Amino acid sequence: MKNLIGIDSVKATELSSKLNQLLADYQVFYQNLRGLHWNIKGKDFFELHLKFEELYNDAIVKIDEIAERILTLEGVPFHTFSDYINTTNIQEAKSVSNGIEGVKIIVKNFSTLIILEREIAALAGDADDEGTVSLMSDYISQTEKTLWMLNSYLQ
């Protein structure tokens, strides 16, 4: 049986579940970025304050896109903090003010996100779900470049 957009309903349910995992990860990642933006100190304050703001603005757009994709697949996106905390693979970053430590946290968070994005892209390909494949492909490309830049900053 196929859903409204022509995706096998069982595969769409599996994709929605994985996308909810990604949604939870992005929500905690977003909050980590906000905390780093607010609490960063030191000689790199101005540079990192702006970078963390750029990254959280991007994350909030992705959060909305992921939730809307879940709805398109006829799923229900998570929308409570308890769902996010119970589901996420991203560790909360609390009271971090050191810039290098903050960048390392963001690199670790992006590394977690990209693994799940690749898994979702593969599942979506198997389901002939070009919409989700395209979304994940865009995220993967952006994440790869951002990881390269942040890793270069740390060296």
Side-chain angles (χ1 to χ4, degrees), residues 5-127:
I5 62 170
I7 306 295
D8 177 271
S9 294
V10 172
K11 290 180 179 182
T13 299
E14 182 180 9
L15 279 165
S16 292
S17 177
K18 290 293 185 182
L19 286 165
N20 261 320
Q21 171 73 56
L22 188 63
L23 180 62
D25 287 348
Y26 261 102
Q27 285 285 14
V28 175
F29 177 57
Y30 169 82
Q31 198 57 48
N32 283 348
L33 289 164
R34 292 303 301 234
L36 291 167
H37 170 78
W38 292 327
N39 294 301
I40 203 72
K41 292 180 169 63
K43 66 179 181 69
D44 295 327
F45 168 82
F46 291 105
E47 179 182 7
L48 291 177
H49 184 75
L50 290 173
K51 178 50 80 175
F52 295 147
E53 182 176 12
E54 173 190 321
L55 292 172
Y56 75 65
N57 282 331
D58 181 66
I60 200 69
V61 169
K62 286 180 169 73
I63 287 165
D64 191 56
E65 290 172 342
I66 295 164
E68 289 177 352
R69 189 66 197 165
I70 293 166
L71 289 163
T72 301
L73 291 168
E74 299 180 3
V76 178
F78 290 156
H79 55 276
T80 66
F81 287 110
S82 59
D83 282 337
Y84 303 144
I85 293 300
N86 291 330
T87 306
T88 189
N89 289 315
I90 302 283
Q91 186 176 8
E92 291 178 297
K94 186 175 179 181
S95 302
V96 176
S97 60
N98 177 279
I100 296 298
E101 185 181 344
V103 173
K104 286 179 181 178
I105 289 167
I106 298 312
V107 166
K108 184 177 180 183
N109 290 179
F110 269 128
S111 294
T112 299
L113 291 166
I114 200 167
I115 289 168
L116 184 55
E117 290 166 352
R118 290 184 198 287
E119 184 180 337
I120 293 168
L123 285 172
D126 290 341

